Amino acid sequence: MENTEYMNRLAPVADNMPNTEPDRQRAYMALLKKYFSELSIKLGRPLTMCTVTFGCQMNARDSEKLSGILKEIGFISTESENADFVIYNTCTVRENANNKVYGHLGVLGNYKKKNPNMMIALCGCMMQEPQVVEKLKESYRFIDIIFGTHNLYKLAELIYNRIETENMVVEVLKDSTEIVEELPVDRKYPFKSGVNIMFGCNNFCSYCIVPYVRGREKSRTPEDIICEIEKLAADGVKEVMLLGQNVNSYGKNLANPVSFAELLKMVEKVEGIERIRFMTSHPKDLSEELIEVMAHSKKICRHFHLPLQSGSDKLLKVMNRHYTKERYLELVDKLKSAMPDISLTTDIIVGFPGETEEDFEETLDVVRKAGFDSAYTFIYSKRTGTPAAVMDNQVDEVVVKNRFDRLLAVVNEISHKLSFRFEGKDMEVLVEGPDDHDDRLLTGRMGNNMLVHFPGDRSLIGQIVNVHLDESKGFYYMGTMI
Ligand code: SAH
Ligand code: SF4
Ligand code: F3S
């Protein structure tokens, strides 16, 4: 095959690749750029790529890095999965996240039959599970590359290997201590960006698969983080979201330990950055220092996502969460007294093994007392390999569904009521884009993470403007620019 001949000609070059990162990947990118530009000329059209992201903000940020590498080697992005390079960046936090991927794969296989140049790569959390990779190797032979969460920076090298060997390339590492900086990133939004401050998780909540698929906690140095944020600011970014599974334990294992609150103070000083958000905070590590820094900050958004999971002390203990219902409510009080206008959101799991009606009532009680502006509610999903998966008191499906519906009703009622508290106020809004349903309107996000739709010109996209909130619609507002 012509392609192979070409790569064989390049093979000796690849033997002399630099051994240090990111130079090594840069060298592979340069090699592939030449290769794909010749392929593009031969085909008489540009080569397209599509990155499909499942799961959380961490995965969304990883996908921007993957797209950055593909763009660098000559692909242009498209929304269609009928593209020359398709990557599925997968999630496995719940069974349904997992099933979605298998559901899509058949369609990709059919596209590939019609486009022999197509390459399909699967990566992300699901690939860290050996049984998944086995299944893919057996039943989905058309996949070109499989890699995990620890080596996504190596995409260029893996593509090279795929072209070289003409076999499915599988490289999944159990864990890593290395953090590779300075690779290209293709941001989804010009005006806001996620910034990883740490990777992995050490908490081992008994239901959760994340520590197994993302590895142990590793913090980036404050210098690397600030340098990235300064570059983002220079590039027009106004809002950064600091990302980690438990940002409150940031920096504990660095050679020179730095607390999350201290990091926030450093980010605050970066000129050009007007808004700072973070995700996610574990209640067990939420410090007074953090509340204090937030309350005095002009840039940290008045929004706190504080996952509750359950209101039952008994279940919180079995979940390995290290806080009680009382402690959680105390933290909520502290946040609200320091910042009365703060908006509070949470995650709740229903149907954890052993959950009784009384346990569930405790959760409802916290929902009523805490006053969440919104809550992500999940039905407990058994994840192989986690301690909860082998607990013998799994809750009946019908009972769980009933509780889930009841919880949702209470959550919605409260968040609907709470949303009226901002009606009539003037708020700073970051204009994110045109309204999805009415193109005379713009959609903007307030610091408290709520959305407002208002008449305005598209030239304002990416700007921070003041908007009067005319009317609450329950989950969003209608407003007028002032
Ligand atoms: N690190 C974050 C959460 C990451 S996962 C934290 O600790 O808050 C996002 C949410 O998914 C969790 O907060 C939890 O509510 C939910 N989740 C995780 N594992 C789950 C499971 N096995 N079943 C149902 N929901 C789960
Ligand atoms: Fe999962 Fe708990 Fe880690 Fe969050 S803190 S990622 S819920 S183990
Ligand atoms: Fe899913 Fe992995 Fe995030 S399992 S929720 S994509 S860390």
Side-chain angles (χ1 to χ4, degrees), residues 375-443:
Y376 297 92
T377 51
F378 306 108
I379 286 183
Y380 167 72
S381 172
K382 204 189 228 189
R383 307 313 292 131
T384 309
T386 63
V390 290
M391 292 180 185
D392 52 14
N393 43 4
Q394 308 280 328
V395 187
D396 178 77
E397 235 175 82
V398 180
V399 174
V400 177
K401 182 71 179 67
N402 173 278
R403 284 181 196 158
F404 182 80
D405 292 343
R406 283 157 62 205
L407 173 65
L408 205 59
V410 176
V411 162
N412 286 344
E413 186 197 318
I414 292 173
S415 59
H416 187 266
K417 257 190 222 150
L418 283 175
S419 80
F420 288 91
R421 77 187 195 278
F422 296 107
E423 216 177 55
K425 292 211 156 84
D426 298 338
M427 299 292 255
E428 275 189 356
V429 161
L430 174 59
V431 186
E432 295 204 336
D435 183 291
D436 286 341
H437 306 289
D438 183 344
D439 61 9
R440 289 163 303 175
L441 301 181
L442 296 172
T443 297

Side-chain angles (χ1 to χ4, degrees), residues 56 58 92-95 201 203 205 207-210 244-246 280-283 305-309 321 346-350 376 378-383 386:
C56 65
M58 254 44 79
T92 188
V93 78
R94 287 170 290 276
E95 187 67 31
C201 181
N203 292 305
C205 303
Y207 50 81
C208 185
I209 198 154
V210 171
Q245 293 298 350
N246 176 12
T280 301
S281 279
H282 193 307
H305 184 68
L306 192 64
L308 166 68
Q309 315 301 3
R321 291 288 290 179
T346 197
D347 293 346
I348 299 170
I349 298 176
V350 180
Y376 297 92
F378 306 108
I379 286 183
Y380 167 72
S381 172
K382 204 189 228 189
R383 307 313 292 131
T386 63

Side-chain angles (χ1 to χ4, degrees), residues 88-106:
Y88 276 8
N89 190 8
T90 62
C91 169
T92 188
V93 78
R94 287 170 290 276
E95 187 67 31
N96 55 1
N98 214 289
N99 288 338
K100 268 192 225 158
V101 171
Y102 290 119
H104 275 249
L105 276 177

